[in-house]
């Protein structure tokens, strides 16, 4: 099932994600630009966001090795892809609070920044150079 979806502010691209896959499409033709899989099965995609022109796509991931694991939900990751589906940047955080609040990723259009939020951490990073 789809867990997250985002449409670029210009409406030209959309990204949808399941726990393990994300797909970027061009909305006018429904052509697939890329489909990526999370290489490590202990990470689940929780959120996505897309910049105009699909210049960058951000995925927010949560660490989840299994329901019985004490490590479950103790780390969060933000992976940024370019238009071709290549990873251009990765951030990882270990929140000090445990909880069900999954990581969020949001681009700030016009400001050249990405906000990565999880449980008790807030990170804003410049993405213009990516």
């Amino acid at each position: 099932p789809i867990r997250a979806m985002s449409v670029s502010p210009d409406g030209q691209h959309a990204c949808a994600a399941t726990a393990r896959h994300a797909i970027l499409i061009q909305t006018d033709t429904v052509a697939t630009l890329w489909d990526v899989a999370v290489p490590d099965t202990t990470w689940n995609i929780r959120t996505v966001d897309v910049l105009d022109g699909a210049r960058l796509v951000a995925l927010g991931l949560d660490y989840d090795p299994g329901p019985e694991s004490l490590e479950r939900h103790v780390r969060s990751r933000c992976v940024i892809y370019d238009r071709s589906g290549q990873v251009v940047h990765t951030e990882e955080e270990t929140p000090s609070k445990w909880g069900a609040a999954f990581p969020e990723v949001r681009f700030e259009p016009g400001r050249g920044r990405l906000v990565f939020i999880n449980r008790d951490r807030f990170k804003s990073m410049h993405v213009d150079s990516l």
Side-chain angles (χ1 to χ4, degrees):
I2 292 176
R3 285 191 169 180
M5 185 181 143
S6 179
V7 177
S8 62
D10 64 8
Q12 298 300 306
H13 299 89
C15 185
T18 66
R20 305 265 188 257
H21 291 270
I23 185 170
L24 180 68
I25 64 165
Q26 191 167 314
T27 56
D28 61 347
T29 63
V30 195
T32 299
L33 299 178
W34 52 254
D35 181 351
V36 297
V38 177
D40 184 344
T41 59
T42 57
W43 288 92
N44 286 319
I45 300 170
R46 299 292 183 175
T47 58
V48 300
D49 203 15
V50 184
L51 274 179
D52 281 343
R55 188 175 72 80
L56 296 174
V57 177
L59 304 181
L61 297 97
D62 178 65
Y63 186 70
D64 189 0
E68 304 303 319
S69 173
L70 296 176
E71 298 293 308
R72 191 173 194 209
H73 308 307
V74 298
R75 295 185 315 196
S76 295
R77 185 179 285 173
C78 172
V79 181
I80 303 172
Y81 292 84
D82 67 12
R83 184 181 167 90
S84 69
Q86 299 299 308
V87 174
V88 294
H89 187 75
T90 301
E91 290 281 330
E92 191 170 315
E93 287 292 331
T94 303
S96 58
K97 294 180 183 175
W98 190 93
F102 296 121
E104 289 286 337
V105 290
R106 290 291 176 261
F107 288 107
E108 295 181 281
R111 297 192 60 201
R113 301 183 71 78
L114 173 75
V115 176
F116 172 39
I117 303 170
N118 61 29
R119 290 166 204 77
D120 65 347
R121 306 291 167 110
F122 176 95
K123 186 178 277 189
S124 179
M125 46 194 144
H126 286 284
V127 294
D128 284 339
S129 61
L130 299 178

